[in-house]
Amino acid sequence: MAAEPYGGHLVNRVIPERERERVLEEASRFPRLEMDMDTALDVENIATGVFSPLKGFMTKEELESVAHNMTLPDGLVWTIPILLQLPQRPQFQKGDRVALTFRGKVRAILEVKDIYTLDLLTIAKAVWGTDSTEHPGVNKFLSRGEWAVGGEIWLVEKMENPYSVWLLEPAETRKIFQYRGWKTVVGFQTRNAPHRGHEYLQRLGLEIADGLFINPVLGWKKSDDFDSLTVIKAYQLLINTYYPVDRVLLAGLATAMRYAGPREAVFHAIVRKNFGCTHFVVGRDHAGVGNFYGPYDAHRIFDRLPSSIGIEVIKVSDVFYCRKCEGMASSKSCGHSEEERIYVSMTKIRKMLAEGELPPEEMIRPDIARFLLRHYSYQGTSL
Ligand SMILES: [Zn+2]
């Protein structure tokens, strides 16, 4: 049995196929609201249960509770605002039904429960711990507008997504886990191509559970992270060349990175529980950016949540290559001094690749590095 969905049951807000025509006909009389990509992806995540127990975009009451108490109003832990933000007051009213469109086509129906203004800087400070526009997550939040609309949604039709073959819904991953006989599954969050540190954590997962679910973010990321297709292909290479393929499942998570560090680690764990994971890996500076968060803030937050989120969190400290151990290790498993340790830095790997150099093999496997090097030569052409 996979993990129970967060909040008890998997939310399903997808309009059945047979009802679609009728709903679309009805929706042709509703006011329309065009969504941006992030919002359109969140609609799909809400509808398919990725964000269970959420059934829609947050009202002011829900947002304030999440921002200041890290819980939904009913007390269930939730750490990241899921908002439909707008630059100005919308034309419709509370109680209206609205047709949410993406690229001009109706994708979902919103039952408007709340229309409100956001105190952007206060929310940013509460959620991200800063209101600095140097922070890519905060900068994005501030730029998306100070109005918000809350209410439940119904998905009519998903958008055309170039990554759709890489996406699975929680109902699907749960079936796969069951079919493969996995009772315990470790979820692994990533936004980047795999280096040796990631591999060390994934192998830990493979040692302790029946299966490993590698679930890279295929949504908005800051411009110096690898693009989604490159990440997926690099993972395919790693899995097919080195891992027991029947013990690993690779699928993307189509949502924007928020770079909210510790709060996003909790959000990422909840989402993986909805996919059916029983365990979730949180490494050093999970979902962090620059020096905005302490290296282990994302570990400590799990100890001060108001209640348990019901997924086993595997907290792993800094992973490095140790010359004396002749392999990857962490400060929990290696007794040698700092001079023997080579820390894996994605920033350094990227910099070297961008300059056409192969990074040290203690940091990244040469075959993966050569694949990524080719990615840099594609850049500028359409990949
Ligand atoms: Zn050592």
Side-chain angles (χ1 to χ4, degrees), residues 274-326:
N274 285 329
F275 279 111
C277 297
T278 52
H279 296 67
F280 182 65
V281 179
V282 178
R284 186 185 181 280
D285 198 22
H286 185 106
V289 59
N291 294 317
F292 282 101
Y293 308 104
Y296 299 107
D297 286 359
H299 287 179
R300 283 192 285 267
I301 191 170
F302 288 94
D303 302 325
R304 54 183 185 86
L305 293 177
S307 58
S308 163
I309 57 168
I311 184 167
E312 192 77 36
V313 176
I314 306 169
K315 300 170 187 170
V316 193
S317 57
D318 229 351
V319 175
F320 45 78
Y321 179 87
C322 172
R323 290 190 192 92
K324 282 273 168 63
C325 292
E326 296 181 345

Side-chain angles (χ1 to χ4, degrees), residues 161-168:
N161 187 325
Y163 305 120
S164 57
V165 295
W166 294 109
L167 298 175
L168 291 171

Side-chain angles (χ1 to χ4, degrees), residues 139-170:
N139 191 43
K140 185 148 206 236
F141 170 66
L142 299 181
S143 70
R144 295 181 76 207
E146 59 179 341
W147 283 88
V149 182
E152 298 187 353
I153 59 96
W154 287 99
L155 179 69
V156 180
E157 195 181 354
K158 286 187 178 179
M159 67 166 97
E160 294 76 33
N161 187 325
Y163 305 120
S164 57
V165 295
W166 294 109
L167 298 175
L168 291 171
E169 295 175 5

